Amino acid sequence: MNSLTFIISVVALFSISNGFPATLFPNPEFQDFPIPDTVDELDPSTVVQLFIEFEREYNKEYMSPLDQAKARSIFQFNVENIIRLNQQYANTSLRFGINYYTDFSDLEFKEKVANLHVDSVSQDSQIGESAPNLENIPASFDWRDRENTVGGVSNQGYCGCSWGFTVSSVIQSAFSIQNSKFFIPSEQQLCDCAQGGNSGCSGGSVRDGFEYVKQNGIVLEENYQKHIEKHQEMYCVQQKDSIHVSNYKFIQPATSSVIQKTLLSNGPIAVGFKVSNSFRHYKSGIFSLNDCEISDNFLGWHSVTIVGYGTENEQDFWIAKNSWSPSFGEEGFFRISRNIDLCQIESKMPMFVQL
């Protein structure tokens, strides 16, 4: 029995025997905002109505009427951009829409969301095997199809801690695959405590996040909940009943085929990539725009978790889990072109863990 067959058999077995729900955090039904087809149709009354619905849908609150007016102006600018993008790519499967961050300017988005510290392979980096020896590679694969392996999508909100959410997501899946149990690790613990070269909500490194868990462990979310006040040292000391990783490794060579095989043999993978102005408005389809390489459109780096891959209409893609709430993209996930290293999603820093 090869490695892939073994993993699929094990996951299928615990899915049937334990009967856990697919996710302990069901995605809420976010409203699909109907927006005009052209900018000319976006009259002032339509903007006001859309913004009211947006505020209600995402529980937006502003410090003052002036801040609210500023947010509405940014919202209108972004909706106009969304309309133009949908017009430009009308003949493709790619669609753009309103999400949690539509009231963010590009500068705010860069400072508060897309501020990942990019990891580089160094002499002391642990390197994964060049290509796991797998046979009969399936044409498509999605860890979400294996019950209890990929948890619900979180919302990092105004906190630039994508690195912590990605580390938590990868460890959660690795633990579930190996132990046939659904485990919800604390993202907040990572964002608060995994300092080192990290800066919490001001950005951080996936590698430093994994190193923190290797040294200190990560606890259940119920024992270290979101929005807990920071800088309380009692919460950042090593605790009992925490999960540790024995190692974390960069995938080298960082090619599409090696990432694909590692995904199958080890589980979901952490990656980083360049975020562009168009990607922040992604709604559905296969994202294939290379505008991240244009300086005016580049917003910063971001980390996500690759959970699968496939092909649609002869276009290869990765399936990735984001941390921008289930309102983003395809219920919090997105598809992005595969085999072309789009926005360096394949080459820069793919990593996996070993428990």
Side-chain angles (χ1 to χ4, degrees), residues 109-110 114-116 273-276 292 297-302:
F109 193 88
K110 181 183 297 186
N115 52 11
L116 174 72
F273 70 108
K274 290 181 173 181
V275 171
S276 66
C292 59
N297 292 334
F298 172 61
L299 299 183
W301 289 87
H302 181 60

Side-chain angles (χ1 to χ4, degrees), residues 145-325:
D145 295 335
R146 314 300 169 181
E147 199 171 21
N148 310 304
T149 303
V150 178
V153 174
S154 297
N155 183 6
Q156 68 183 79
Y158 296 86
C159 178
C161 190
S162 68
W163 57 273
F165 285 79
T166 299
V167 168
S168 172
S169 174
V170 170
I171 292 173
Q172 176 188 54
S173 293
F175 182 87
S176 297
I177 291 169
Q178 181 169 314
N179 296 282
S180 303
K181 294 180 180 179
F182 195 63
F183 164 71
I184 304 176
S186 171
E187 297 150 344
Q188 189 69 49
Q189 180 191 2
L190 287 167
C191 297
D192 286 355
C193 307
Q195 297 299 312
N198 292 337
S199 303
C201 286
S202 298
S205 154
V206 170
R207 176 173 54 187
D208 288 346
F210 282 137
E211 180 63 27
Y212 172 84
V213 178
K214 182 178 179 179
Q215 299 296 330
N216 301 280
I218 186 169
V219 299
L220 289 170
E221 183 179 64
E222 64 187 44
N223 295 329
Y224 196 119
Q225 297 180 4
K226 289 184 176 67
H227 309 302
I228 199 166
E229 185 179 351
K230 294 182 65 176
H231 307 304
Q232 296 189 36
E233 294 183 4
M234 62 176 291
Y235 292 109
C236 290
V237 298
Q238 189 168 346
Q239 301 184 38
K240 295 180 179 179
D241 302 323
S242 59
I243 300 299
H244 291 249
V245 299
S246 63
N247 214 342
Y248 53 92
K249 296 183 177 182
F250 286 89
I251 299 172
Q252 293 289 312
T255 63
S256 177
S257 61
V258 177
I259 294 172
Q260 182 181 11
K261 292 177 181 179
T262 308
L263 174 74
L264 292 168
S265 61
N266 289 279
I269 290 169
V271 295
F273 70 108
K274 290 181 173 181
V275 171
S276 66
N277 176 278
S278 62
F279 180 80
R280 61 170 291 199
H281 302 304
Y282 168 88
K283 182 62 180 176
S284 63
I286 301 171
F287 187 82
S288 57
L289 308 185
N290 200 33
D291 56 339
C292 59
E293 302 299 343
I294 301 173
S295 59
D296 288 344
N297 292 334
F298 172 61
L299 299 183
W301 289 87
H302 181 60
S303 65
V304 295
T305 307
I306 289 181
V307 301
Y309 63 87
T311 302
E312 181 178 273
N313 296 325
E314 300 184 349
Q315 188 174 6
D316 297 332
F317 60 83
W318 297 112
I319 304 167
K321 177 185 176 183
N322 204 352
S323 53
W324 295 348
S325 91

Side-chain angles (χ1 to χ4, degrees), residues 32-49:
D32 189 8
F33 289 89
I35 58 177
D37 294 327
T38 67
V39 173
D40 291 339
E41 298 175 60
L42 193 66
D43 56 70
S45 62
T46 302
V47 172
V48 170
Q49 185 58 40

Side-chain angles (χ1 to χ4, degrees), residues 5-234:
T5 303
F6 173 76
I7 288 176
I8 292 177
S9 299
V10 170
V11 176
L13 177 62
F14 85 74
S15 297
I16 295 171
S17 61
N18 286 351
F20 295 127
T23 171
L24 297 184
F25 292 105
N27 291 343
E29 292 295 328
F30 283 92
Q31 177 178 330
D32 189 8
F33 289 89
I35 58 177
D37 294 327
T38 67
V39 173
D40 291 339
E41 298 175 60
L42 193 66
D43 56 70
S45 62
T46 302
V47 172
V48 170
Q49 185 58 40
L50 273 175
F51 189 70
I52 290 173
E53 294 175 3
F54 170 79
E55 288 179 297
R56 180 171 58 246
E57 186 74 8
Y58 298 112
N59 298 315
K60 293 284 185 172
E61 295 181 357
Y62 303 99
M63 297 294 292
S64 68
L66 183 62
D67 288 334
Q68 184 184 41
K70 178 183 176 182
R72 184 168 59 243
S73 177
I74 294 170
F75 176 84
Q76 178 177 348
F77 178 85
N78 284 327
V79 171
E80 290 174 356
N81 191 24
I82 290 167
I83 291 172
R84 293 189 183 98
L85 285 167
N86 282 328
Q87 288 178 316
Q88 185 175 356
Y89 298 99
N91 294 326
T92 73
S93 67
L94 194 55
R95 294 293 178 268
F96 303 88
I98 293 171
N99 60 47
Y100 182 83
Y101 295 110
T102 305
D103 60 344
F104 273 40
S105 69
D106 283 350
L107 180 59
E108 287 177 299
F109 193 88
K110 181 183 297 186
E111 292 178 346
K112 297 179 180 179
V113 183
N115 52 11
L116 174 72
H117 299 172
V118 181
D119 293 311
S120 299
V121 179
S122 59
Q123 289 184 344
D124 61 346
S125 298
Q126 293 289 324
I127 306 299
E129 56 184 300
S130 59
N133 184 22
L134 297 180
E135 301 174 358
N136 303 320
I137 303 299
S140 63
F141 187 82
D142 189 344
W143 277 110
R144 294 176 299 176
D145 295 335
R146 314 300 169 181
E147 199 171 21
N148 310 304
T149 303
V150 178
V153 174
S154 297
N155 183 6
Q156 68 183 79
Y158 296 86
C159 178
C161 190
S162 68
W163 57 273
F165 285 79
T166 299
V167 168
S168 172
S169 174
V170 170
I171 292 173
Q172 176 188 54
S173 293
F175 182 87
S176 297
I177 291 169
Q178 181 169 314
N179 296 282
S180 303
K181 294 180 180 179
F182 195 63
F183 164 71
I184 304 176
S186 171
E187 297 150 344
Q188 189 69 49
Q189 180 191 2
L190 287 167
C191 297
D192 286 355
C193 307
Q195 297 299 312
N198 292 337
S199 303
C201 286
S202 298
S205 154
V206 170
R207 176 173 54 187
D208 288 346
F210 282 137
E211 180 63 27
Y212 172 84
V213 178
K214 182 178 179 179
Q215 299 296 330
N216 301 280
I218 186 169
V219 299
L220 289 170
E221 183 179 64
E222 64 187 44
N223 295 329
Y224 196 119
Q225 297 180 4
K226 289 184 176 67
H227 309 302
I228 199 166
E229 185 179 351
K230 294 182 65 176
H231 307 304
Q232 296 189 36
E233 294 183 4
M234 62 176 291

